Amino acid sequence: MRRKSRATLLSFFTTLLIFTPIFLYIFRDTFSGETIHLPPTTTPLSSSNNLVHLSYLIEEEDLLHLNSSSSSISQVSIKDSLPDSILLPDWEVLYITKESLSLNTFDIDDHHQYMCVFQNNATSVAEFTGSLRNSKRFTFKCDVPVSVRRLRPLLSPILTNLNETWPETMGSNWPEMLRWNYLAYESLPTENDVVLFVKGVNNRQGVNRSPEEFNCVFDNGVNYSVKTIVTSSSQEVFRCYHPNNTENSRLFLNGDEKVRVSLEIKEKQTIVPTVAYYTSNKKQIEREDTTYSQLCACTMVHNVGKFLKEWIVYHSKLGVGKFILYDNDSDDDLGKVVQELVLDEEYNVEIVNWPWPKTQEAGFSHSAIYAKGSCKWMMYMDVDEFVFSPSWLNATAPSSDMLLSLLPKTEISSSLSPSASLPPSLPIGQIYIKCLEFGPSNQQSHPIAGVTQGYTCRRRIENRHKSIVLLDVIDHSLQNAIHHFRLKDGYRVKTLRLNEGVVNHYKYQAWSEFKAKFRRRVSAYVVDWNQKMNPMSNDRTPGLGYEPIEPEGWANKFCEVNDSRLKELTQRWFSLDSSATSGSKLAWQD
């Protein structure tokens, strides 16, 4: 009887294994509330020039997928007709359109008309997120539906409009999504070389593989590729030579080829998947702004629209001539705020679309090259950080030389070599400014008059520092620790004394504001607050656990010193009422 029972049980499970996939397929819509069925294609794809048809009228041989097992140059080639999809953390997809599409292709005024359609016909809303400067391609973001997440392989979605139709099947050769943790994602040419940004090769902080382990690979998608030597490997930044003139002529044979660039790992004979494009040194990126500033400010931002005007108005009056914002996936109408600052109030503000998650160091490395033509010194700070000097307290008005007065008085030769005759004290190439960290100051929401007015209670001891660096003397590797850079040999750093200058860092704000930062750690080497790692790190907030739950007594935390110096100073400088009372509006208030 026991043997018969075992046989019966085995037969039952065998039958279950055979018929369960069929049952789930037939009734798949019953178990997924995310699936939306749209009409099947009723007209040939070639009959229309709309977005979907432009993007997906492709031949089977064009469906090439870049993955970590690539072993030949030909596998880098991607035809012009294929978009890219990247699987980001938190089950998001960054969809990058094909080349040569104009903005007129998209009706972006209606942000909810585009959809990502996945392999099981599940859909999610696709939001337009901007364009990539170097390749002039457009980007959308959408979520991966729950019903898709367990599927393997995980195929790229189709971008479509609810008013359009698409093929009923993606076909057996449809490409998988690229993985964000292993990808060449951006490139930038200089006069002498190419800067390439690659995720997943140098993964550990302070541990960089030798540049001799790599080549840069340039491919135009029409059976011509070139390799060049890598000269630097640091963090996510790799530098390599341009192809020579003859090779460039072949890469850009007809003048309109789309040349991708990636990194070859010699030992494994593999090429990192890439969405990065190469612009030769003869085809430098066109800069809209040709002005030159002694001092600029650069920061990476996410949903800082309501804080931005205060930060820009304040620092502009103290000497910052240009602001460069690396926009890391904001969805709070940042563009409208900047447009008002630029057009209505004539501030020099530029947005660089930077959709890549946890790449603050890489973004600042990019800026150090990108801004050299328009900036001499660069201040790296966040929009909740304000430079302040006690020596300004008696000034009746701000002046444009206040920040410049913190910098070295003598000119520095950027051509100084390590073997050159050096002065008794090495020239200063970077200024460190210590931070004073302000707490919630009993605020329950964002102060209507701005952070300088609402937060006046801080910790006693300064922590960390921010920097102002001379761009010409940044080391070739572009290595940085978020807010300061490694310098070329022959230059030194000066740290300001507290009576010379400090940074008021409005770090611990009202809980409603602070919790928005919980999942937005943008540095590649800083652990997210919800990960149970490095509990004693200075990057962690004292008393805050691993979940966005307000600690008891948050409103009064970090209050050891009452410090209203900058509050009183800004009231005097920026009040729109000549009486300068505490109740008058300030220049950044609407």
Side-chain angles (χ1 to χ4, degrees), residues 225-499:
S225 60
V226 176
K227 295 182 181 181
T228 66
I229 295 173
V230 173
T231 62
S232 177
S233 164
S234 179
Q235 298 173 314
E236 295 181 8
V237 182
F238 300 80
R239 303 189 73 161
C240 56
Y241 292 123
H242 287 283
N244 63 36
N245 290 336
T246 300
E247 293 165 339
N248 258 326
S249 297
R250 294 191 64 182
L251 283 169
F252 297 97
L253 185 62
N254 299 316
D256 59 352
E257 284 82 1
K258 306 298 181 182
V259 177
R260 296 212 186 197
V261 55
S262 190
L263 195 69
E264 179 188 36
I265 303 174
K266 294 180 182 179
E267 181 183 6
K268 296 181 179 180
Q269 294 187 322
T270 63
I271 297 171
V272 178
T274 184
V275 295
Y277 280 74
Y278 169 60
T279 304
S280 74
N281 55 334
K282 294 181 180 179
K283 298 181 179 182
Q284 292 291 325
I285 300 173
E286 296 181 3
R287 298 296 306 272
E288 298 175 0
D289 176 35
T290 57
T291 61
Y292 188 81
S293 299
Q294 285 290 108
L295 177 62
C296 299
C298 179
T299 187
M300 188 164 289
V301 299
H302 171 76
N303 290 354
V304 299
K306 63 184 172 185
F307 308 99
L308 187 64
K309 189 174 181 180
E310 180 182 10
W311 187 74
I312 286 179
V313 171
Y314 176 85
H315 288 101
S316 176
K317 297 301 182 184
L318 270 61
V320 175
K322 179 177 182 179
F323 299 86
I324 303 176
L325 313 178
Y326 277 66
D327 181 16
N328 193 224
D329 198 28
S330 296
D331 57 9
D332 65 340
D333 291 327
L334 175 70
K336 291 183 179 179
V337 177
V338 170
Q339 184 178 31
E340 178 185 338
L341 288 165
V342 172
L343 298 181
D344 298 344
E345 305 188 39
E346 299 184 347
Y347 292 99
N348 190 347
V349 187
E350 179 180 3
I351 297 177
V352 176
N353 188 36
W354 191 260
W356 320 114
K358 290 187 73 66
T359 54
Q360 187 170 24
E361 295 94 343
F364 285 173
S365 294
H366 184 279
S367 74
I369 295 296
Y370 178 75
K372 280 184 70 173
S374 59
C375 303
K376 182 176 182 178
W377 291 85
M378 183 67 79
M379 181 172 77
Y380 287 96
M381 293 184 188
D382 297 329
V383 297
D384 60 356
E385 297 168 338
F386 290 71
V387 183
F388 162 70
S389 173
S391 65
W392 303 340
L393 285 172
N394 295 324
T396 57
S399 67
S400 60
D401 63 354
M402 283 181 163
L403 286 173
L404 293 174
S405 70
L406 303 177
L407 303 178
K409 299 296 187 294
T410 56
E411 291 294 317
I412 299 176
S413 172
S414 61
S415 60
L416 188 64
S417 67
S419 60
S421 178
L422 297 176
S425 179
L426 295 179
I428 298 169
Q430 189 165 211
I431 299 293
Y432 285 174
I433 311 176
K434 297 178 182 178
C435 295
L436 299 177
E437 297 181 340
F438 283 72
S441 305
N442 206 30
Q443 296 290 331
Q444 303 301 316
S445 61
H446 174 61
I448 190 171
V451 295
T452 58
Q453 306 303 298
Y455 302 110
T456 57
C457 203
R458 63 172 174 83
R459 305 177 81 177
R460 186 177 304 278
I461 303 299
E462 70 275 2
N463 184 31
R464 299 298 179 90
H465 60 262
K466 298 304 165 73
S467 70
I468 304 177
V469 61
L470 183 63
L471 293 179
D472 276 345
V473 305
I474 290 176
D475 186 72
H476 178 75
S477 67
L478 303 178
Q479 181 176 326
N480 68 85
I482 305 181
H483 291 101
H484 62 264
F485 280 83
R486 179 178 178 179
L487 302 181
K488 295 177 181 177
D489 291 339
Y491 298 92
R492 67 184 176 94
V493 172
K494 176 186 176 181
T495 301
L496 296 185
R497 297 187 299 270
L498 293 179
N499 64 346

Side-chain angles (χ1 to χ4, degrees), residues 51 55-56 80-85 94-102 105-106 128 130-132 135-140 159 260 277:
L51 169 65
S55 299
Y56 290 96
D80 183 57
S81 55
L82 186 63
D84 291 303
S85 294
L94 181 66
Y95 181 98
I96 307 175
T97 66
K98 57 163 284 184
E99 303 86 356
S100 305
L101 292 179
S102 70
T105 307
F106 310 101
F128 178 81
S131 62
L132 302 180
S135 63
K136 297 181 180 179
R137 304 167 77 194
F138 301 106
T139 59
F140 289 77
L159 180 71
R260 296 212 186 197
Y277 280 74

